[in-house]
Amino acid sequence: MSSLTTTQPAKGLEGVVATTSSICYIDGEQGERLARERHLDPAIINLLQTAPKNITPMDVLRTAVSALSFYDVDQKNNDHEANIRKAIRLTSQIAMIVAAYDRIRKGKNIVEPDRSLSHAANFLLLLNGERPSGTAERALDIALILHADHELNASTFAARVTAATLSDMHSAITSAIGALKGPLHGGANEAVFHMLQEIDKKGVDPVEYVHGQLAQKKKISGFGHRVYHTEDPRATHLRQMSRDLGNSSGKGKWFEMSSRIEQFVKSEKKLNANVDFYSASTYHTLGIDVDLFTPVFAVSRISGWTAHVIEQLDDNRLIRPRADYVGPAYPQHYIPIDRR
Ligand SMILES: CC(C)(COP(=O)(O)OP(=O)(O)OC[C@H]1O[C@@H](n2cnc3c(N)ncnc32)[C@H](O)[C@@H]1OP(=O)(O)O)[C@@H](O)C(=O)NCCC(=O)NCCS
């Protein structure tokens, strides 16, 4: 008990420093290695083909990533070098899985990867069956960079907790995908677009709609952040991208709607847009289906997750915090049922 911290942690571990980290270094050499790893075992393709058609791509991704470990040559090897190989492999494979499943569920053929293309361009090729325009490639590339890592967010923490038990890379990433899926984390980008679609379908004024939601004490997806109290710098870039892509594609209404909501929520609730708010209209304008928004987040965040797992394992200690006991007075004595 003597090692127990006496400071009361905030609910949701707000502001608690749970680890040290020196991540966020971009290695240009990895590009070529990513291209070399553009390969999925036929058993994984089979898994995607036999998955029920009514489940979300995010659920398919979670299960497929877990299954990737069966066919990974480094499956039983948890050392630093093997984990770097697995990280690069997973980064290529996750993009391929997201694109392949989308084509399979739409009854389309699976597209062969092009090893001469960038990661972003190859992903769009696998998804759409044609080489993307320079504008689309650059937009997705920027979006992938913006989402690549973000300190100890919920999914990264989940990955580190799993890795710290000396489990393996695939288990850690499966944990992370499960955490990313929730609408308070990565799932928020899909929730934002569902809101925009509902406003559009009902033909209501966006500000009135959001006003009504707030009056019912509902949270508006894409706003608020545990750490940022100023604007999330990623939102600054995504707002610009959403505006530019909207203007150049003739689908500017999503940006206009988003912008009005943003101004209202800011003035009414003093809440800033976060990374998920403008990524929704950006991805839609790029032609990406709504239920692929969070998987596309994973296509990017895999780089951060794997880097954190490697960092964790390079200097590992089990992550096992304590809970502040607030139950009935302790110790309690057992009372046999017939005397209660
Ligand atoms: C991100 C989020 C989970 C952070 O949660 P948190 O740090 O626990 O913050 P809280 O939920 O305690 O919010 C603090 C206050 O702001 C309000 N608030 C926070 N986000 C809000 C939102 N999106 N819409 C409306 N009100 C919000 C809360 O109701 C609370 O108000 P109160 O003090 O009057 O009760 C939260 O802002 C949220 O749910 N946002 C929407 C989902 C989202 O976009 N997630 C992606 C994050 S990158």
Side-chain angles (χ1 to χ4, degrees), residues 37 67 97 125 129 141 167 188 199 296 332:
E37 295 291 354
I97 288 170
L125 167 75
D141 198 29
S167 181
I199 293 170
V296 169
Q332 292 209 61

Side-chain angles (χ1 to χ4, degrees), residues 56-316:
T56 68
M58 196 61 180
D59 287 329
V60 173
L61 180 65
R62 182 203 56 227
T63 299
V65 165
S66 178
L68 281 173
S69 75
F70 306 158
Y71 312 102
D72 196 296
V73 287
D74 289 310
Q75 193 214 2
K76 293 203 164 38
N77 193 346
N78 220 11
D79 70 24
H80 179 89
E81 290 308 320
N83 280 329
I84 288 181
R85 289 193 295 275
K86 285 192 257 192
I88 295 168
R89 216 171 278 142
L90 274 162
T91 305
S92 274
Q93 290 168 325
I94 283 186
M96 296 183 74
I97 288 170
V98 173
Y101 179 67
D102 188 55
R103 290 188 70 84
I104 288 167
R105 70 176 173 159
K106 290 176 176 161
K108 297 178 178 170
N109 66 316
I110 297 173
V111 178
E112 277 300 306
D114 182 336
R115 292 188 173 74
S116 70
L117 293 182
S118 70
H119 190 54
N122 183 63
F123 174 69
L124 289 170
L125 167 75
L126 299 192
L127 191 65
N128 300 323
E130 55 188 39
R131 275 177 174 240
S133 67
T135 312
E137 176 185 359
R138 178 152 171 72
L140 183 67
D141 198 29
I142 293 172
L144 293 182
I145 292 167
L146 290 174
H147 287 81
D149 184 51
H150 209 224
E151 202 220 41
L152 218 52
N153 56 85
S155 56
T156 301
F157 190 51
R160 285 188 84 129
V161 169
T162 302
T165 69
L166 296 185
S167 181
D168 60 86
M169 178 68 85
H170 288 83
S171 301
I173 302 307
T174 306
S175 301
I177 294 173
L180 186 73
K181 178 184 158 182
L184 295 188
H185 188 14
N189 56 12
E190 294 183 17
V192 168
F193 204 74
H194 286 307
M195 172 179 73
L196 298 180
Q197 279 177 317
E198 193 177 328
I199 293 170
D200 189 50
K201 204 168 140 203
K202 289 186 172 159
V204 291
D205 181 75
V207 168
E208 276 174 29
Y209 177 91
V210 169
H211 188 263
Q213 297 294 103
L214 289 175
Q216 295 171 56
K217 303 264 173 257
K218 289 195 179 150
K219 282 194 173 175
I220 310 301
S221 292
F223 288 91
H225 199 275
R226 174 64 63 79
V227 181
Y228 288 121
H229 297 294
T230 57
E231 173 160 301
D232 179 337
R234 301 166 301 172
T236 316
H237 293 277
L238 285 156
R239 182 191 297 108
Q240 185 66 41
M241 282 169 67
S242 168
R243 181 190 292 127
D244 293 349
L245 287 168
N247 285 341
S248 61
S249 67
K251 293 191 207 161
K253 75 172 177 183
W254 304 108
F255 172 77
E256 301 302 331
M257 218 187 270
S258 304
S259 178
R260 289 196 57 210
I261 293 171
E262 182 190 19
Q263 283 159 31
F264 176 71
V265 174
K266 196 163 177 155
S267 67
E268 188 77 8
K269 293 283 292 181
K270 310 268 170 299
L271 286 170
N272 291 299
N274 58 45
V275 68
D276 296 301
F277 189 62
Y278 281 105
S279 68
S281 45
T282 299
Y283 289 157
H284 174 73
T285 317
L286 281 173
I288 297 172
D289 285 0
V290 188
D291 60 3
L292 293 185
F293 290 3
T294 315
V296 169
F297 195 152
V299 166
S300 164
R301 187 54 62 85
I302 180 63
S303 53
W305 291 331
T306 49
H308 276 270
V309 168
I310 292 166
E311 185 179 66
Q312 180 66 39
L313 292 174
D314 282 351
D315 184 21
N316 191 53

